Amino acid sequence: MKDGPDIARIATLIGDPARANILTALMTGKALTARELAREAGVGASTTSTHLGRLVEGRLVAVTRQGRHRYHRLAGPEVANVLEALMGLAAGQGHLRHRPGPREDALRAARVCYNHLAGTAGTALYDALAGRGWTRVSDHEVMLSDAGAVAMEAFEIDVTALRKARSPLCRPCLDWSERRTHLAGSLGRALLAEMETRGWARRVPDSRAVTITPAGRDGLRGTFGVRL
Amino acid sequence: MKDGPDIARIATLIGDPARANILTALMTGKALTARELAREAGVGASTTSTHLGRLVEGRLVAVTRQGRHRYHRLAGPEVANVLEALMGLAAGQGHLRHRPGPREDALRAARVCYNHLAGTAGTALYDALAGRGWTRVSDHEVMLSDAGAVAMEAFEIDVTALRKARSPLCRPCLDWSERRTHLAGSLGRALLAEMETRGWARRVPDSRAVTITPAGRDGLRGTFGVRL
DNA sequence: ATAACGGTTCGATCATGATCGAACCATGAA
DNA sequence: TTCATGGTTCGATCATGATCGAACCGTTAT
């Protein structure tokens, strides 16, 4: 009886209520930080850390370091399979779960990631910059081209001042809702700030969501060729 | 976070090694007794009883009383789904499991269930008796018809003596490998005994398997119209 | 009736692990 | 550099539940 695959080991991992909540939260496909997961799970930060450690060790969850964050996501489709089967069984013999995600759409469209723009709008902007040759992407690095510097200056961003700062100008940032990349770094922050001063973007209070105004929509298309 | 389906509850049930072994053993589709499952799980009878109680209460396992046995089987295909997904995940990140069941086929073909015949041969005989009008089946009861009594006497079975015994003459017995019914009761036992004395059937030592001899094959076809 | 056997219940023992707060480490922002 | 914050580690506490043996119950066979 010792020869079977350790389905008990995996089931035990899922069996803790806190961990089950964590995994359920990750079922959306989004990658979440430990803190967000702690809130979802309803336990403290330290407890969550321990749980995440077990889940990662058990290959149910994969983690990606990103600055001071650690983004957690399900380790693979097989894991999602198991969770889905479990939810189907549980739903069939008890109470349903909806979890439609009411404000999910807004977050998916545009949100702040620290101080830069993420979401669909963020990745679109990132792609547009590269498409115009204003940035050059090479294997985990992003550089601002000369033409890009000129364009940014024209957009009222003081690139030379940003270059003097210690923090990197351009940095790729993996966007988990889109599973693609958007622009971080001081330039990313400056871009979002300028968009806010121009009235192109407005932060939603008490949320990471960002609203792109009609003016912002037009401006992004005219200035960067972004189609939203 | 309390609103979700209790995937944790179910996962906890599967998470115990002994219970995982029990469920794995039931994945074959066969219904097994508590004692057989205890051997599979590698724990004592009392422990197994407790585990089975939890599994039944948790709707993962269904139980059917049958004489002094209690046959346990997976509660439904959703349960098998979950187990299959778990095994797939576990196999993908560790050691495989074969469990091909070497002597499964022999048991499936013909075996003793207590002292009567079960398996493919058992259900075929059951069907043949009903097909010839020798038994009448009505909603969880089986009765021997007058024609059937005559036929049994001709087969050297003393039906009148059997009727005097306290145990019922005919009883339907659910056959789990076939998921159909075969004949139990004192007549069922007498039929198998007569088949053995005639050399139609031979028990395999240390096994529940029964071998149907070529003579038995012919005899069953000629006497009862059973085609194997 | 009696023996044999499958199965359950009970009580006691024991190990595991979930949880928290506090201290600590690491990274990014200013 | 300094501060704020995300995240981890540690130690202590506490609850759960897995396990066994023994006694007990119910059914079948003789």
Side-chain angles (χ1 to χ4, degrees):
Chain A
M1 55 257 173
K2 270 278 176 48
D3 54 341
D6 251 346
I7 83 169
R9 192 181 58 83
I10 296 175
T12 299
L13 280 174
I14 308 176
D16 178 79
R19 285 195 295 262
N21 286 334
I22 288 174
L23 291 168
T24 303
L26 292 175
M27 271 294 278
T28 63
K30 296 189 55 163
L32 301 172
T33 69
R35 226 164 180 83
E36 293 171 305
L37 290 170
R39 274 196 35 206
E40 285 288 334
V43 292
S46 63
T47 306
T48 303
S49 181
T50 309
H51 283 316
L52 287 173
R54 283 192 188 282
L55 289 172
V56 169
E57 190 201 17
R59 305 279 175 197
L60 294 190
V61 165
V63 62
T64 307
R65 303 188 37 161
Q66 188 130 134
R68 58 180 158 185
H69 294 286
R70 272 169 179 73
Y71 281 100
H72 300 83
R73 63 184 196 281
L74 295 185
E78 300 93 348
V79 180
N81 272 355
V82 171
L83 294 174
E84 200 159 347
L86 276 170
M87 291 170 121
L89 175 57
Q93 64 183 30
H95 29 133
L96 271 289
R97 172 167 205 157
H98 284 309
R99 184 167 283 282
R103 62 199 192 290
E104 291 279 302
D105 285 346
L107 281 179
R108 195 172 292 268
R111 64 174 181 277
V112 293
C113 174
Y114 286 101
N115 278 323
H116 58 265
L117 188 64
T120 307
T123 58
L125 178 57
Y126 180 85
D127 291 345
L129 291 176
R132 295 206 160 186
W134 291 352
T135 56
R136 305 221 175 282
V137 182
S138 73
D139 179 53
H140 293 104
E141 269 205 350
V142 183
M143 287 182 54
L144 187 66
S145 69
D146 292 340
V150 171
M152 290 305 146
E153 295 283 357
F155 192 57
E156 307 274 342
I157 288 179
D158 191 349
V159 175
T160 55
L162 291 179
R163 284 195 203 274
K164 290 177 184 165
R166 289 161 301 289
S167 64
L169 184 68
C170 293
R171 212 158 47 79
C173 185
L174 203 40
D175 194 316
W176 291 105
S177 69
E178 298 294 312
R179 296 175 191 275
R180 290 170 53 206
T181 310
H182 60 246
L183 186 66
S186 58
L187 180 59
R189 287 195 294 275
L191 274 170
L192 178 58
E194 180 63 24
M195 286 174 64
E196 288 187 76
T197 59
R198 291 186 180 215
W200 290 11
R202 215 165 24 228
R203 301 204 188 186
V204 179
D206 292 325
S207 164
R208 299 199 332 252
V210 171
T211 309
I212 304 293
T213 65
R217 204 173 283 267
D218 293 342
L220 284 172
R221 183 169 55 239
T223 309
F224 302 102
V226 173
R227 294 174 304 143
L228 288 179
Chain B
M1 56 255 172
K2 270 277 176 48
D3 54 340
D6 252 344
I7 83 170
R9 191 181 59 82
I10 298 174
T12 299
L13 280 175
I14 309 175
D16 178 78
R19 285 195 294 263
N21 286 334
I22 289 173
L23 292 168
T24 302
L26 292 175
M27 271 293 278
T28 63
K30 295 188 54 162
L32 302 173
T33 69
R35 224 163 182 85
E36 293 170 305
L37 290 170
R39 273 195 36 205
E40 285 288 334
V43 293
S46 63
T47 305
T48 303
S49 181
T50 309
H51 283 315
L52 287 173
R54 284 190 188 282
L55 288 171
V56 169
E57 190 201 16
R59 306 277 175 200
L60 294 191
V61 166
V63 62
T64 309
R65 303 189 36 158
Q66 190 130 135
R68 59 178 156 185
H69 292 286
R70 272 169 178 74
Y71 281 99
H72 300 83
R73 61 183 197 281
L74 294 185
E78 301 92 348
V79 180
N81 272 354
V82 170
L83 295 175
E84 200 158 347
L86 276 170
M87 292 171 119
L89 176 55
Q93 62 183 29
H95 29 134
L96 271 289
R97 173 167 203 157
H98 284 309
R99 186 168 282 282
R103 62 198 194 289
E104 291 281 303
D105 284 347
L107 281 177
R108 195 172 292 268
R111 66 174 179 277
V112 293
C113 175
Y114 286 102
N115 279 324
H116 58 265
L117 187 64
T120 307
T123 59
L125 177 58
Y126 180 86
D127 291 345
L129 291 175
R132 296 205 160 186
W134 290 352
T135 58
R136 304 223 177 280
V137 181
S138 73
D139 179 52
H140 292 103
E141 269 205 351
V142 183
M143 288 183 55
L144 188 66
S145 69
D146 292 342
V150 172
M152 290 303 146
E153 297 282 358
F155 192 58
E156 308 275 341
I157 289 179
D158 190 350
V159 175
T160 54
L162 291 178
R163 285 194 202 275
K164 289 176 183 164
R166 290 161 303 289
S167 64
L169 185 68
C170 293
R171 212 159 46 80
C173 184
L174 203 39
D175 194 316
W176 290 107
S177 70
E178 297 294 311
R179 297 176 190 276
R180 290 170 53 208
T181 309
H182 60 246
L183 186 65
S186 59
L187 179 60
R189 286 194 293 277
L191 274 170
L192 178 57
E194 181 62 23
M195 286 175 64
E196 289 186 76
T197 58
R198 291 187 181 215
W200 291 10
R202 215 166 24 227
R203 300 205 189 186
V204 178
D206 292 323
S207 165
R208 300 200 330 254
V210 171
T211 308
I212 304 293
T213 65
R217 204 173 284 267
D218 293 342
L220 283 171
R221 183 170 55 239
T223 309
F224 301 102
V226 172
R227 294 173 304 141
L228 287 181

